[in-house]
Amino acid sequence: MISLKINDKDIQVQDGATILEAAKTCDIYIPTLCYLENLKPRGLCRVCVVEVEGAKNLVPACSTPAAEGMNVKTNTRRVRESRKMIVELLLSEHNGECTTCERNNDCELQKLARDLGIEELRYEGEKTPSHIDESTPAIYRDTGKCIKCRRCVEVCQGVESVGAISPQSRGFDTTIAPAFDHALSDVTCVQCGQCAAVCPVGAITERNYIQEVWDVLDDPEKYVVVQTAPAIRSALGEAFGLEPGTPVTGKMVAALKELGFDGVFDTNFTADLTIMEEGSELLSRLTKVLRDGGQADLPQFTSCCPAWINFAEHYYPELLKNLSTCKSPQQMFGAVAKTYYAEKIGVAPENMVVISVMPCTAKKFESQREELTDSGYADVDYVLTTRELARMVNQSGIVFSLLEDQKMDSPFPESSGAADIFANTGGVMEAAVRTAYKIVTGRNLPTDKMHLKNIMDLEGIKEASLKIEDPVKEWSFLDGAELNVMVIHSLANVRKVLKEKDISKYHFIEVMACPGGCISGGGQPRFTDNNIRQKRIQAILTEDEGKEIRNSCENPFIQQIYAEYLKQPLGERSHHLLHTEYFE
Ligand code: HC0
Ligand code: SF4
């Protein structure tokens, strides 16, 4: 342990802690800009400078280790004036059109300028040139707003191990961009949007489809339905000032109805459907190998995270055959809406428009894939992020916090607790295990065994096994078998697993690109405090635990769609509408 003083307070911290971390332990606030929890601090922007007794220069708190006997002051005149000048210099180059910027009122630079008392621009410099990149359906980049903090670079390289963007040129001419100023669509960007999630200003964000959605809502010829992803309800409230981790499913439905959607549905319903198909697919692969002594591509990997699919296509094409053939719940919903539902309500599928609200930017890309058009039309027409939905709510003058809860529409009004947890790392795995166990043994997992060990905590690589005991006759060959599963989040961890582990002993592996799963997808309300991740995870767990039905195969509306339309998992209609293949 190390003892030091910060602002005359005695503090003890572990060896290796930085001054910033030490200050946090006693609630002393030091402003930061380039710093991000979990990533190696760079001390680049120097907004977090503090004064250390005996040191000639101010030091950055984020990258300076606390030392025994150190005496730190975070709030002297010299510190305040230095921070102010650093931000003034950033502003001197920055495109200052705040009122029309998407980040207006949600911009870390704007907040710092306000907090540091900057009321006039003392320095006028040459503005950073603006180059707009809209080459992908997911990401929008404007170099003119970039302050070169490099958070995006760190995340793209450190968390996702993609390295699609990096500093180009030098000095004032530095831009953060793909090498040789290529467009993002020409490099191996997986469109995860984690760069957009950490950008403190308006330089990287999602491609915005709000106007397209208003246009179809205003078109009397169109029947417009919306689906909402499992993760958005754990975070949407934050955009309206509610406490992080406040679940807002009922208010979200009410807001979507007020916005004018003709049908408001839940991607959670098709998350249940995915489990029926993906669980059955896993059991079929296991049967081929364990009962028939044949060949099947194991482990089976989940296929619902579109950034992970992009990553596999770019870097591990040999694994594509191991991906589940299931479309993601988003795409299953679109396919079912434009066939089963359109037929049920007598709407021509060409007049039906399917909008998704997703926590994710890569879902925008996924919806435009040519493979995903099995209804004869694009399964999904437009994808909005959670942030875009919040903006539409604000544009309509709806007061979100005053809305009365409403329910999802029929014929997909309910989903199981298993579908809720899709939002969390480990959730798809746990949901699949719940259903597979029920199919094989005829019994539900006991409530106290429903959460598999540590499968939903924030470790990047987790493993669990489940022993099959007393299976029903059809599955007797699995008696005593151990089902070995692994859960990975953040794509850098995929590389680590493939390098360091023998994956042949696992049967099923879940991969999600974003840290913590979709709850911190690239389209969610932005945050810098890591505790928010945990609060969102907990909100989702509370939804699951409050549900009477916590197993996808027990959802009566899932049973109904099989009885009326799909007939059976992996059947002919399912095969046509709900499955796809990704080729090398
Ligand atoms: Fe996810 Fe999904 S769980 S990828 O994280 O499977 O985006 O929330 O919608 O499709 O359901 C995201 C979240 C989804 C899909 C679901 C899956
Ligand atoms: Fe990197 Fe993801 Fe951003 Fe693409 S979307 S540049 S892969 S962080």
PDB file of all heavy atoms in Angstrom, residues 141 146 148 150 152-154 156-157 162-169 174-181 184 187 204:
ATOM      1  N   ARG A 141     -18.065   9.690 -39.949  1.00  0.00           N
ATOM      2  CA  ARG A 141     -16.881  10.351 -39.374  1.00  0.00           C
ATOM      3  C   ARG A 141     -16.729  11.736 -39.956  1.00  0.00           C
ATOM      4  O   ARG A 141     -16.883  11.925 -41.171  1.00  0.00           O
ATOM      5  CB  ARG A 141     -15.594   9.570 -39.724  1.00  0.00           C
ATOM      6  CG  ARG A 141     -15.479   8.198 -39.111  1.00  0.00           C
ATOM      7  CD  ARG A 141     -14.065   7.615 -39.305  1.00  0.00           C
ATOM      8  NE  ARG A 141     -13.616   7.702 -40.670  1.00  0.00           N
ATOM      9  CZ  ARG A 141     -12.567   8.412 -41.076  1.00  0.00           C
ATOM     10  NH1 ARG A 141     -11.821   9.090 -40.206  1.00  0.00           N
ATOM     11  NH2 ARG A 141     -12.223   8.454 -42.346  1.00  0.00           N
ATOM     12  N   CYS A 146     -12.795  16.334 -34.918  1.00  0.00           N
ATOM     13  CA  CYS A 146     -11.902  15.455 -34.141  1.00  0.00           C
ATOM     14  C   CYS A 146     -10.911  16.287 -33.325  1.00  0.00           C
ATOM     15  O   CYS A 146     -10.323  17.242 -33.831  1.00  0.00           O
ATOM     16  CB  CYS A 146     -11.153  14.544 -35.107  1.00  0.00           C
ATOM     17  SG  CYS A 146      -9.974  13.473 -34.308  1.00  0.00           S
ATOM     18  N   LYS A 148      -8.414  14.643 -31.699  1.00  0.00           N
ATOM     19  CA  LYS A 148      -7.226  13.759 -31.691  1.00  0.00           C
ATOM     20  C   LYS A 148      -6.899  13.203 -30.306  1.00  0.00           C
ATOM     21  O   LYS A 148      -5.736  13.077 -29.920  1.00  0.00           O
ATOM     22  CB  LYS A 148      -6.007  14.490 -32.268  1.00  0.00           C
ATOM     23  CG  LYS A 148      -6.215  14.822 -33.743  1.00  0.00           C
ATOM     24  CD  LYS A 148      -5.613  16.128 -34.131  1.00  0.00           C
ATOM     25  CE  LYS A 148      -6.131  16.597 -35.463  1.00  0.00           C
ATOM     26  NZ  LYS A 148      -6.032  18.001 -35.741  1.00  0.00           N
ATOM     27  N   ARG A 150      -7.589  10.245 -29.402  1.00  0.00           N
ATOM     28  CA  ARG A 150      -7.172   8.874 -29.715  1.00  0.00           C
ATOM     29  C   ARG A 150      -7.885   7.789 -28.910  1.00  0.00           C
ATOM     30  O   ARG A 150      -7.447   6.646 -28.851  1.00  0.00           O
ATOM     31  CB  ARG A 150      -5.654   8.702 -29.579  1.00  0.00           C
ATOM     32  CG  ARG A 150      -4.960   9.646 -30.490  1.00  0.00           C
ATOM     33  CD  ARG A 150      -3.488   9.527 -30.494  1.00  0.00           C
ATOM     34  NE  ARG A 150      -2.965  10.737 -31.144  1.00  0.00           N
ATOM     35  CZ  ARG A 150      -1.794  10.842 -31.675  1.00  0.00           C
ATOM     36  NH1 ARG A 150      -0.975   9.827 -31.653  1.00  0.00           N
ATOM     37  NH2 ARG A 150      -1.408  11.963 -32.236  1.00  0.00           N
ATOM     38  N   CYS A 152     -10.677   6.550 -29.748  1.00  0.00           N
ATOM     39  CA  CYS A 152     -11.201   5.615 -30.765  1.00  0.00           C
ATOM     40  C   CYS A 152     -10.103   4.666 -31.227  1.00  0.00           C
ATOM     41  O   CYS A 152     -10.345   3.468 -31.433  1.00  0.00           O
ATOM     42  CB  CYS A 152     -11.786   6.398 -31.940  1.00  0.00           C
ATOM     43  SG  CYS A 152     -10.629   7.564 -32.672  1.00  0.00           S
ATOM     44  N   VAL A 153      -8.896   5.212 -31.367  1.00  0.00           N
ATOM     45  CA  VAL A 153      -7.774   4.387 -31.843  1.00  0.00           C
ATOM     46  C   VAL A 153      -7.484   3.286 -30.821  1.00  0.00           C
ATOM     47  O   VAL A 153      -7.291   2.115 -31.157  1.00  0.00           O
ATOM     48  CB  VAL A 153      -6.524   5.271 -32.051  1.00  0.00           C
ATOM     49  CG1 VAL A 153      -5.324   4.431 -32.452  1.00  0.00           C
ATOM     50  CG2 VAL A 153      -6.805   6.355 -33.077  1.00  0.00           C
ATOM     51  N   GLU A 154      -7.487   3.691 -29.544  1.00  0.00           N
ATOM     52  CA  GLU A 154      -7.195   2.741 -28.473  1.00  0.00           C
ATOM     53  C   GLU A 154      -8.222   1.624 -28.418  1.00  0.00           C
ATOM     54  O   GLU A 154      -7.901   0.461 -28.205  1.00  0.00           O
ATOM     55  CB  GLU A 154      -7.195   3.476 -27.123  1.00  0.00           C
ATOM     56  CG  GLU A 154      -6.041   4.415 -26.939  1.00  0.00           C
ATOM     57  CD  GLU A 154      -4.738   3.654 -26.756  1.00  0.00           C
ATOM     58  OE1 GLU A 154      -4.702   2.747 -25.916  1.00  0.00           O
ATOM     59  OE2 GLU A 154      -3.771   3.962 -27.466  1.00  0.00           O
ATOM     60  N   CYS A 156     -10.353   0.674 -30.848  1.00  0.00           N
ATOM     61  CA  CYS A 156     -10.366  -0.133 -32.074  1.00  0.00           C
ATOM     62  C   CYS A 156      -9.215  -1.141 -32.041  1.00  0.00           C
ATOM     63  O   CYS A 156      -9.380  -2.299 -32.416  1.00  0.00           O
ATOM     64  CB  CYS A 156     -10.251   0.781 -33.295  1.00  0.00           C
ATOM     65  SG  CYS A 156     -10.460  -0.080 -34.851  1.00  0.00           S
ATOM     66  N   GLN A 157      -8.072  -0.712 -31.528  1.00  0.00           N
ATOM     67  CA  GLN A 157      -6.923  -1.615 -31.478  1.00  0.00           C
ATOM     68  C   GLN A 157      -6.952  -2.484 -30.217  1.00  0.00           C
ATOM     69  O   GLN A 157      -6.865  -3.695 -30.288  1.00  0.00           O
ATOM     70  CB  GLN A 157      -5.620  -0.798 -31.539  1.00  0.00           C
ATOM     71  CG  GLN A 157      -4.375  -1.641 -31.558  1.00  0.00           C
ATOM     72  CD  GLN A 157      -4.375  -2.653 -32.697  1.00  0.00           C
ATOM     73  OE1 GLN A 157      -4.706  -2.320 -33.828  1.00  0.00           O
ATOM     74  NE2 GLN A 157      -4.053  -3.900 -32.389  1.00  0.00           N
ATOM     75  N   VAL A 162      -8.713  -4.573 -34.104  1.00  0.00           N
ATOM     76  CA  VAL A 162      -8.954  -4.377 -35.535  1.00  0.00           C
ATOM     77  C   VAL A 162      -7.945  -3.370 -36.104  1.00  0.00           C
ATOM     78  O   VAL A 162      -7.317  -3.615 -37.130  1.00  0.00           O
ATOM     79  CB  VAL A 162     -10.405  -3.897 -35.787  1.00  0.00           C
ATOM     80  CG1 VAL A 162     -10.597  -3.509 -37.249  1.00  0.00           C
ATOM     81  CG2 VAL A 162     -11.399  -5.002 -35.420  1.00  0.00           C
ATOM     82  N   GLY A 163      -7.774  -2.245 -35.420  1.00  0.00           N
ATOM     83  CA  GLY A 163      -6.805  -1.256 -35.895  1.00  0.00           C
ATOM     84  C   GLY A 163      -7.197  -0.634 -37.223  1.00  0.00           C
ATOM     85  O   GLY A 163      -6.335  -0.344 -38.055  1.00  0.00           O
ATOM     86  N   ALA A 164      -8.491  -0.409 -37.403  1.00  0.00           N
ATOM     87  CA  ALA A 164      -8.956   0.159 -38.687  1.00  0.00           C
ATOM     88  C   ALA A 164      -8.601   1.634 -38.816  1.00  0.00           C
ATOM     89  O   ALA A 164      -8.484   2.149 -39.926  1.00  0.00           O
ATOM     90  CB  ALA A 164     -10.471  -0.009 -38.820  1.00  0.00           C
ATOM     91  N   ILE A 165      -8.458   2.334 -37.690  1.00  0.00           N
ATOM     92  CA  ILE A 165      -8.149   3.762 -37.728  1.00  0.00           C
ATOM     93  C   ILE A 165      -6.913   4.041 -36.881  1.00  0.00           C
ATOM     94  O   ILE A 165      -6.705   3.402 -35.850  1.00  0.00           O
ATOM     95  CB  ILE A 165      -9.341   4.616 -37.219  1.00  0.00           C
ATOM     96  CG1 ILE A 165      -9.921   4.014 -35.932  1.00  0.00           C
ATOM     97  CG2 ILE A 165     -10.410   4.762 -38.284  1.00  0.00           C
ATOM     98  CD1 ILE A 165     -11.053   4.813 -35.326  1.00  0.00           C
ATOM     99  N   SER A 166      -6.140   5.013 -37.323  1.00  0.00           N
ATOM    100  CA  SER A 166      -4.919   5.360 -36.589  1.00  0.00           C
ATOM    101  C   SER A 166      -4.505   6.774 -36.999  1.00  0.00           C
ATOM    102  O   SER A 166      -5.032   7.312 -37.979  1.00  0.00           O
ATOM    103  CB  SER A 166      -3.813   4.349 -36.908  1.00  0.00           C
ATOM    104  OG  SER A 166      -3.669   4.258 -38.298  1.00  0.00           O
ATOM    105  N   PRO A 167      -3.576   7.381 -36.266  1.00  0.00           N
ATOM    106  CA  PRO A 167      -3.167   8.738 -36.634  1.00  0.00           C
ATOM    107  C   PRO A 167      -2.450   8.737 -37.988  1.00  0.00           C
ATOM    108  O   PRO A 167      -1.569   7.922 -38.232  1.00  0.00           O
ATOM    109  CB  PRO A 167      -2.207   9.141 -35.511  1.00  0.00           C
ATOM    110  CG  PRO A 167      -2.474   8.183 -34.398  1.00  0.00           C
ATOM    111  CD  PRO A 167      -2.931   6.925 -35.034  1.00  0.00           C
ATOM    112  N   GLN A 168      -2.847   9.644 -38.849  1.00  0.00           N
ATOM    113  CA  GLN A 168      -2.213   9.807 -40.164  1.00  0.00           C
ATOM    114  C   GLN A 168      -1.580  11.202 -40.197  1.00  0.00           C
ATOM    115  O   GLN A 168      -2.148  12.142 -39.661  1.00  0.00           O
ATOM    116  CB  GLN A 168      -3.251   9.709 -41.299  1.00  0.00           C
ATOM    117  CG  GLN A 168      -4.137   8.483 -41.221  1.00  0.00           C
ATOM    118  CD  GLN A 168      -3.362   7.184 -41.397  1.00  0.00           C
ATOM    119  OE1 GLN A 168      -2.454   7.099 -42.213  1.00  0.00           O
ATOM    120  NE2 GLN A 168      -3.709   6.177 -40.599  1.00  0.00           N
ATOM    121  N   SER A 169      -0.461  11.364 -40.867  1.00  0.00           N
ATOM    122  CA  SER A 169       0.302  12.624 -40.942  1.00  0.00           C
ATOM    123  C   SER A 169       0.807  13.052 -39.568  1.00  0.00           C
ATOM    124  O   SER A 169       0.687  12.309 -38.598  1.00  0.00           O
ATOM    125  CB  SER A 169      -0.522  13.757 -41.553  1.00  0.00           C
ATOM    126  OG  SER A 169      -0.902  13.413 -42.854  1.00  0.00           O
ATOM    127  N   THR A 174      -2.359  16.129 -38.499  1.00  0.00           N
ATOM    128  CA  THR A 174      -2.745  14.780 -38.058  1.00  0.00           C
ATOM    129  C   THR A 174      -4.245  14.600 -38.191  1.00  0.00           C
ATOM    130  O   THR A 174      -5.026  15.453 -37.766  1.00  0.00           O
ATOM    131  CB  THR A 174      -2.364  14.565 -36.568  1.00  0.00           C
ATOM    132  OG1 THR A 174      -0.990  14.859 -36.414  1.00  0.00           O
ATOM    133  CG2 THR A 174      -2.658  13.146 -36.115  1.00  0.00           C
ATOM    134  N   THR A 175      -4.635  13.481 -38.775  1.00  0.00           N
ATOM    135  CA  THR A 175      -6.049  13.098 -38.726  1.00  0.00           C
ATOM    136  C   THR A 175      -6.114  11.677 -38.205  1.00  0.00           C
ATOM    137  O   THR A 175      -5.155  10.913 -38.334  1.00  0.00           O
ATOM    138  CB  THR A 175      -6.735  13.114 -40.116  1.00  0.00           C
ATOM    139  OG1 THR A 175      -5.976  12.289 -40.988  1.00  0.00           O
ATOM    140  CG2 THR A 175      -6.896  14.490 -40.688  1.00  0.00           C
ATOM    141  N   ILE A 176      -7.251  11.331 -37.633  1.00  0.00           N
ATOM    142  CA  ILE A 176      -7.461   9.947 -37.206  1.00  0.00           C
ATOM    143  C   ILE A 176      -8.310   9.321 -38.296  1.00  0.00           C
ATOM    144  O   ILE A 176      -9.460   9.728 -38.516  1.00  0.00           O
ATOM    145  CB  ILE A 176      -8.184   9.888 -35.843  1.00  0.00           C
ATOM    146  CG1 ILE A 176      -7.431  10.710 -34.793  1.00  0.00           C
ATOM    147  CG2 ILE A 176      -8.377   8.435 -35.409  1.00  0.00           C
ATOM    148  CD1 ILE A 176      -6.024  10.260 -34.484  1.00  0.00           C
ATOM    149  N   ALA A 177      -7.749   8.356 -38.989  1.00  0.00           N
ATOM    150  CA  ALA A 177      -8.418   7.828 -40.178  1.00  0.00           C
ATOM    151  C   ALA A 177      -7.822   6.480 -40.534  1.00  0.00           C
ATOM    152  O   ALA A 177      -6.772   6.102 -40.015  1.00  0.00           O
ATOM    153  CB  ALA A 177      -8.214   8.810 -41.345  1.00  0.00           C
ATOM    154  N   PRO A 178      -8.467   5.743 -41.458  1.00  0.00           N
ATOM    155  CA  PRO A 178      -7.833   4.532 -41.978  1.00  0.00           C
ATOM    156  C   PRO A 178      -6.532   4.907 -42.696  1.00  0.00           C
ATOM    157  O   PRO A 178      -6.397   6.036 -43.188  1.00  0.00           O
ATOM    158  CB  PRO A 178      -8.864   3.986 -42.964  1.00  0.00           C
ATOM    159  CG  PRO A 178     -10.173   4.553 -42.527  1.00  0.00           C
ATOM    160  CD  PRO A 178      -9.840   5.916 -41.978  1.00  0.00           C
ATOM    161  N   ALA A 179      -5.612   3.963 -42.777  1.00  0.00           N
ATOM    162  CA  ALA A 179      -4.320   4.223 -43.420  1.00  0.00           C
ATOM    163  C   ALA A 179      -4.522   4.710 -44.852  1.00  0.00           C
ATOM    164  O   ALA A 179      -5.476   4.306 -45.523  1.00  0.00           O
ATOM    165  CB  ALA A 179      -3.493   2.934 -43.423  1.00  0.00           C
ATOM    166  N   PHE A 180      -3.635   5.550 -45.301  1.00  0.00           N
ATOM    167  CA  PHE A 180      -3.647   6.132 -46.657  1.00  0.00           C
ATOM    168  C   PHE A 180      -4.963   6.832 -46.978  1.00  0.00           C
ATOM    169  O   PHE A 180      -5.377   6.899 -48.136  1.00  0.00           O
ATOM    170  CB  PHE A 180      -3.347   5.054 -47.725  1.00  0.00           C
ATOM    171  CG  PHE A 180      -2.108   4.287 -47.439  1.00  0.00           C
ATOM    172  CD1 PHE A 180      -2.159   2.937 -47.118  1.00  0.00           C
ATOM    173  CD2 PHE A 180      -0.864   4.917 -47.461  1.00  0.00           C
ATOM    174  CE1 PHE A 180      -1.011   2.228 -46.815  1.00  0.00           C
ATOM    175  CE2 PHE A 180       0.292   4.205 -47.171  1.00  0.00           C
ATOM    176  CZ  PHE A 180       0.224   2.868 -46.852  1.00  0.00           C
ATOM    177  N   ASP A 181      -5.643   7.289 -45.912  1.00  0.00           N
ATOM    178  CA  ASP A 181      -6.916   7.977 -46.086  1.00  0.00           C
ATOM    179  C   ASP A 181      -7.945   7.177 -46.881  1.00  0.00           C
ATOM    180  O   ASP A 181      -8.786   7.726 -47.589  1.00  0.00           O
ATOM    181  CB  ASP A 181      -6.712   9.375 -46.694  1.00  0.00           C
ATOM    182  CG  ASP A 181      -6.280  10.351 -45.607  1.00  0.00           C
ATOM    183  OD1 ASP A 181      -6.724  10.153 -44.451  1.00  0.00           O
ATOM    184  OD2 ASP A 181      -5.484  11.268 -45.890  1.00  0.00           O
ATOM    185  N   LEU A 184     -13.601   4.020 -44.656  1.00  0.00           N
ATOM    186  CA  LEU A 184     -13.784   2.942 -43.673  1.00  0.00           C
ATOM    187  C   LEU A 184     -14.284   1.663 -44.339  1.00  0.00           C
ATOM    188  O   LEU A 184     -13.940   0.555 -43.929  1.00  0.00           O
ATOM    189  CB  LEU A 184     -14.794   3.418 -42.615  1.00  0.00           C
ATOM    190  CG  LEU A 184     -14.601   3.021 -41.162  1.00  0.00           C
ATOM    191  CD1 LEU A 184     -13.178   3.095 -40.684  1.00  0.00           C
ATOM    192  CD2 LEU A 184     -15.523   3.839 -40.279  1.00  0.00           C
ATOM    193  N   VAL A 187     -11.468  -0.771 -45.521  1.00  0.00           N
ATOM    194  CA  VAL A 187     -10.538  -1.426 -44.601  1.00  0.00           C
ATOM    195  C   VAL A 187     -11.319  -2.468 -43.794  1.00  0.00           C
ATOM    196  O   VAL A 187     -12.503  -2.690 -44.054  1.00  0.00           O
ATOM    197  CB  VAL A 187      -9.820  -0.393 -43.686  1.00  0.00           C
ATOM    198  CG1 VAL A 187      -8.952   0.525 -44.522  1.00  0.00           C
ATOM    199  CG2 VAL A 187     -10.809   0.397 -42.844  1.00  0.00           C
ATOM    200  N   ILE A 204     -17.037  11.023 -34.410  1.00  0.00           N
ATOM    201  CA  ILE A 204     -17.453   9.687 -34.883  1.00  0.00           C
ATOM    202  C   ILE A 204     -18.796   9.364 -34.239  1.00  0.00           C
ATOM    203  O   ILE A 204     -18.949   9.431 -33.007  1.00  0.00           O
ATOM    204  CB  ILE A 204     -16.460   8.562 -34.517  1.00  0.00           C
ATOM    205  CG1 ILE A 204     -15.033   8.944 -34.899  1.00  0.00           C
ATOM    206  CG2 ILE A 204     -16.872   7.270 -35.207  1.00  0.00           C
ATOM    207  CD1 ILE A 204     -14.025   7.808 -34.768  1.00  0.00           C
TER     208      ILE A 204
END
